[in-house]
Amino acid sequence: MWFFIVRRVLYAVPILLGVSMVVFVLMKMVPGDAADIMIPPEAPKEVADMIRARFGLDQPAHIQYLRWLQAMASGDLGTSIFTNQPVAEELFGALANTMKIALPAVFLGFSLGVLLGALAAYYNGSWLDKLFSGVAIAGVSLPHYWVGMVLVAIFAVSLNILPGQGMGPEGFPTTWEHIQHLILPVVTLSLIPMGVISRLVRANVLEIRSMEFVSALQAKGLRGPRVLLHIMKNAAPSALALMGLQFGYLLGGSILVETVFNWPGSGSLLNLAIFRRDIPVLSATILVLATIFVVINILVDVLQALIDPRIRR
Amino acid sequence: MSVATIPKECTAANEGAKPLVRVNNLTVRFITRDRTIDAVNGVSFTVDAGEVLCILGESGSGKSVTLRAMMRLLPPHLTKISGEITVDDEDILSLGAPALSDLRGGEVAMIFQEPMTSFDPVFTIGNQIIETVKRHDGLSESDARKRALELLEMVQIPSPARRLDNYPHEMSGGMRQRAMIALALSCRPRLLLADEPTTALDATVQIQILQLLHRLQRELGMAVLFVTHDVGVAVEISDRIAVMYAGRFVETGPVRAVIREPQHPYTQGLLASTVNGAMRGKRLEAIPGSPVNLAALPPGCAFAPRCRHAEPACAVPPPETWIEPTRMVRCIRATPK
């Protein structure tokens, strides 16, 4: 098991290096560098060259890459060229905000997805199956910013029982007022994970139920709930893998949903950085998000291996 | 050897002439939207306590379906079972769900063909035995574990304590089948249903598993209903043989009689197409044609299209002919001795 974990962590190194290279190359491919944005076009060439030299932009690309990578690896995420604030501050603030909705959303999506998927499979072909499958397909295919707007229109505007905008007071969500602000964005964000996970669980449970070992479990006299436990443990690894992926996507923040709910998360930050051509913010954000994504997937892999020993090999 | 720990009263059931298992006119139909498959068409037999009855037949003859019907393991929404199955005076087909699950794994246990796919891959072998013992005997976790260990010893699995914590994929095929036998015998069944338990194994391992089963069967005094397509296996283990074709028994009788003097043309063909030592240099005879389509059975004798003795009279269903008090042949050519 330890060998498995170490191996998985080592695999992550080339992945992250690859991601950093892609990010760097993309940033270089964008016409104009950071200096072009900072320096007014009428500035004399000497001043422009001085600023380029100060930021190391006059160096060859591979030197720039290695310097940037070194800075990132040592935890220095750079300084925003727009606000002049450390990137780390803006980034982790935004990530924390996104986390407040992404964590509950993935939890809700996973629980509901597993529940609906398992029920749909158990009552395969019945009206319950059709209903849950319909809900799942709607969850995946409706544009979620649109769902967000509809929810705001219903619960915030017409019924006026939930806030439709913002995060409420500062700080860690503890009070009812905080939670009220969370409900609509969390529900909106949970739709896609709920949909995809329930489709997967339904298909998996159907497949597992037709396997020989389920007959064998029944043949030894196990009762329904115990047989269900066996089936769900077999279905768990793939559902967890999908949950990890979905959680990664949610952490990237949904620009559209965050815009609908006026939620200052990582999606908004990325969006802003793109508009401002704030390359340090943009590249650091993408790299940090990619790192988190990789870490989550390592955790999921380990969890899978704990459940299904065949994965350890 | 933990056989000694098994109470004597369970094994000494041979008293009286009353059979343990009584199956009367069993029919099983699979009904799907576009067709109906007549898998079993009126099968009747009895099995005495401590007796081994072997159902011999090709794939698709309905032998496994018969076996699964004994425990009602067939998918209920697709299957129509009629007839009568009683085990120890209990009417299997009318049991409610709780009583049925009490019976399964308790009084009646089953061994499956493919030991790899019949264990849950994400639970240890030990866990899967323990949960069964706990289910039926209400033992505590530690007592159940002790029992599981005894059972692994009983089926002669080396270093059983370590094997308890193995997952199915960590064992060899023969070992898994031994564990499957241990699991099946964990609650001292009076009837063991064995669905081709040696088919998926290597020839050398087959023999070991057969011998193990045979020994345990005698020691525990279980009745066994054994399904196989392998004549050699059937001869090795059974007291009586029932040859099945197209969902019917075409010939039944004591092993020796059936093997030495097969009466039904199908049995003769089956035996002639089996390899054995005395036939060196001779050409192996295959039964011509292919097994019948169970979705479109001929009205008369189902074997007639492949039978070299077929005649116009075969177009009506042949009656059961008892050529001896213990031997039945379902063929118009059979005559009582």
Side-chain angles (χ1 to χ4, degrees):
Chain A
M1 190 65 202
W2 286 110
F3 181 70
F4 171 81
I5 295 175
V6 169
R7 206 175 45 177
R8 275 310 279 117
V9 171
L10 287 181
Y11 277 154
V13 174
I15 295 174
L16 285 175
L17 275 180
V19 170
S20 72
M21 263 179 227
V22 170
V23 170
F24 187 80
V25 168
L26 279 178
M27 293 303 147
K28 283 290 148 195
M29 278 166 63
V30 177
D33 56 19
D36 288 330
I37 301 156
M38 284 188 285
I39 306 161
E42 62 273 17
K45 197 175 173 300
E46 296 79 45
V47 179
D49 285 345
M50 213 178 69
I51 295 178
R52 284 215 158 81
R54 174 157 138 40
F55 284 98
L57 294 171
D58 55 342
Q59 302 283 335
H62 65 278
I63 301 286
Q64 288 189 39
Y65 169 69
L66 288 176
R67 279 192 182 170
W68 175 70
L69 193 65
Q70 191 193 7
M72 290 292 140
S74 62
D76 172 15
L77 300 186
T79 312
S80 161
I81 56 173
F82 193 86
T83 60
N84 230 357
Q85 298 290 316
V87 173
E89 229 165 80
E90 287 185 30
L91 175 53
F92 290 118
L95 258 182
N97 289 341
T98 294
M99 205 67 103
K100 279 182 204 164
I101 46 177
L103 260 181
V106 84
F107 180 75
L108 184 69
F110 181 74
S111 334
L112 271 182
V114 169
L115 186 71
L116 296 193
L119 282 172
Y122 244 76
Y123 298 100
N124 180 22
S126 72
W127 62 270
L128 204 66
D129 179 19
K130 283 171 189 129
L131 176 72
F132 288 167
S133 298
V135 169
I137 291 166
V140 178
S141 38
L142 290 177
H144 55 345
Y145 62 88
W146 178 81
V147 175
M149 289 194 286
V150 170
L151 289 179
V152 169
I154 296 174
F155 292 97
V157 180
S158 302
L159 300 176
N160 197 19
I161 48 173
L162 287 170
Q165 292 284 302
M167 310 202 305
E170 288 284 305
F172 194 78
T174 43
T175 63
W176 171 234
E177 200 186 348
H178 279 115
I179 292 165
Q180 267 188 320
H181 280 87
L182 287 178
I183 293 176
L184 292 183
V186 165
V187 168
T188 308
L189 281 184
S190 69
L191 284 180
I192 290 181
M194 184 271 288
V196 292
I197 289 173
S198 84
R199 294 307 288 168
L200 178 83
V201 167
R202 178 182 178 272
N204 267 348
V205 168
L206 276 182
E207 192 196 323
I208 294 165
R209 251 171 54 126
S210 68
M211 287 182 175
E212 182 82 333
F213 80 80
V214 176
S215 295
L217 293 173
Q218 286 164 347
K220 59 188 196 180
L222 296 191
R223 297 188 181 95
R226 185 82 197 174
V227 175
L228 184 65
L229 174 81
H230 279 267
I231 293 176
M232 292 319 283
K233 193 173 174 193
N234 275 273
S238 56
L240 282 174
L242 194 55
M243 184 189 79
L245 288 176
Q246 290 292 325
F247 188 46
Y249 296 147
L250 289 186
L251 279 190
S254 161
I255 294 171
L256 296 169
V257 171
E258 285 179 6
T259 307
V260 168
F261 291 103
N262 195 16
W263 196 276
S266 51
S268 304
L269 180 70
L270 271 176
N271 194 24
L272 214 56
I274 291 168
F275 276 118
R276 291 169 173 172
R277 292 239 235 144
D278 197 340
I279 288 170
V281 174
L282 202 52
S283 46
T285 306
I286 295 175
L287 196 62
V288 167
L289 286 176
T291 309
I292 295 178
F293 195 82
V294 169
V295 169
I296 289 172
N297 280 293
I298 292 176
L299 290 178
V300 167
D301 280 356
V302 171
L303 212 56
Q304 279 185 306
L306 283 175
I307 294 173
D308 186 346
R310 289 171 300 177
I311 293 172
R312 281 175 219 164
R313 289 194 289 181
Chain B
M1 195 60 37
S2 64
V3 173
T5 64
I6 287 162
K8 206 65 202 157
E9 69 267 19
C10 290
T11 63
N14 245 330
E15 86 293 335
K18 213 162 107 192
L20 176 70
V21 180
R22 210 191 280 274
V23 173
N24 196 11
N25 202 20
L26 176 71
T27 51
V28 181
R29 260 180 249 296
F30 294 119
I31 298 166
T32 59
R33 204 167 291 174
D34 32 60
R35 58 187 188 155
T36 299
I37 295 169
D38 297 305
V40 179
N41 304 301
V43 161
S44 304
F45 61 90
T46 59
V47 186
D48 291 333
E51 185 190 30
V52 182
L53 172 65
C54 192
I55 302 181
L56 185 66
E58 293 169 294
S59 37
S61 61
K63 53 193 195 308
S64 287
V65 175
T66 306
L67 203 67
R68 277 164 195 249
M70 303 286 299
M71 241 197 215
R72 275 171 52 198
L73 277 179
L74 302 161
H77 53 287
L78 296 176
T79 324
K80 209 173 159 312
I81 306 181
S82 60
E84 203 184 342
I85 303 174
T86 55
V87 176
D88 203 15
D89 287 333
E90 256 184 308
D91 181 2
I92 303 286
L93 295 185
S94 66
L95 282 182
L100 182 65
S101 85
D102 284 345
L103 179 102
R104 289 171 172 173
E107 193 166 1
V108 184
M110 187 154 177
I111 310 176
F112 292 81
Q113 174 171 354
E114 185 34 279
M116 184 71 232
T117 57
S118 44
F119 275 114
D120 183 340
V122 304
F123 282 76
T124 61
I125 296 287
N127 253 324
Q128 300 190 49
I129 298 177
I130 289 167
E131 69 180 352
T132 315
V133 177
K134 279 166 81 174
R135 159 73 179 85
H136 288 288
D137 292 358
L139 294 182
S140 70
E141 179 76 29
S142 64
D143 285 348
R145 200 181 159 83
K146 247 181 258 162
R147 177 74 157 282
L149 193 63
E150 288 173 3
L151 286 159
L152 290 195
E153 279 165 7
M154 180 179 85
V155 296
Q156 297 165 340
I157 287 182
S159 45
R162 202 159 48 86
R163 289 298 182 184
L164 275 184
D165 296 321
N166 272 175
Y167 286 91
H169 72 272
E170 295 168 326
M171 290 178 147
S172 68
M175 206 74 90
R176 275 195 291 268
Q177 197 58 294
R178 282 173 193 270
M180 180 48 72
I181 292 171
L183 172 63
L185 301 186
S186 61
C187 300
R188 302 170 302 267
R190 298 190 60 196
L191 172 64
L192 180 68
L193 306 172
D195 186 4
E196 306 223 23
T198 58
T199 304
L201 305 173
D202 293 345
T204 47
V205 182
Q206 271 192 16
I207 305 286
Q208 295 168 5
I209 295 290
L210 269 185
Q211 286 171 346
L212 174 73
L213 261 179
H214 207 180
R215 179 173 65 76
L216 291 172
Q217 181 269 329
R218 267 176 293 174
E219 283 173 5
L220 305 179
M222 293 180 291
V224 178
L225 189 54
F226 195 102
V227 158
T228 183
H229 65 266
D230 187 329
V231 178
V233 168
V235 171
E236 187 71 32
I237 193 149
S238 47
D239 300 319
R240 276 193 303 138
I241 286 190
V243 181
M244 196 161 187
Y245 188 80
R248 289 193 188 94
F249 283 178
V250 294
E251 179 160 2
T252 60
V255 181
R256 283 182 181 208
V258 174
I259 298 300
R260 285 196 184 147
E261 297 181 313
Q263 298 293 312
H264 195 282
Y266 176 66
T267 318
Q268 290 164 357
L270 207 58
L271 291 171
S273 61
T274 305
V275 184
N276 65 50
M279 303 170 34
R280 221 182 161 79
K282 267 204 270 174
R283 235 188 133 71
L284 211 54
E285 240 178 284
I287 303 176
S290 52
V292 281
N293 178 4
L294 292 172
L297 281 177
C301 173
F303 187 63
R306 301 170 75 183
C307 181
R308 70 175 87 163
H309 308 292
E311 49 186 282
C314 296
V316 291
E320 289 186 355
T321 308
W322 290 86
I323 58 171
E324 276 169 55
T326 55
R327 290 207 61 191
M328 182 281 282
V329 181
R330 192 189 288 274
C331 179
I332 52 166
R333 298 170 69 237
T335 45
K337 284 184 182 167

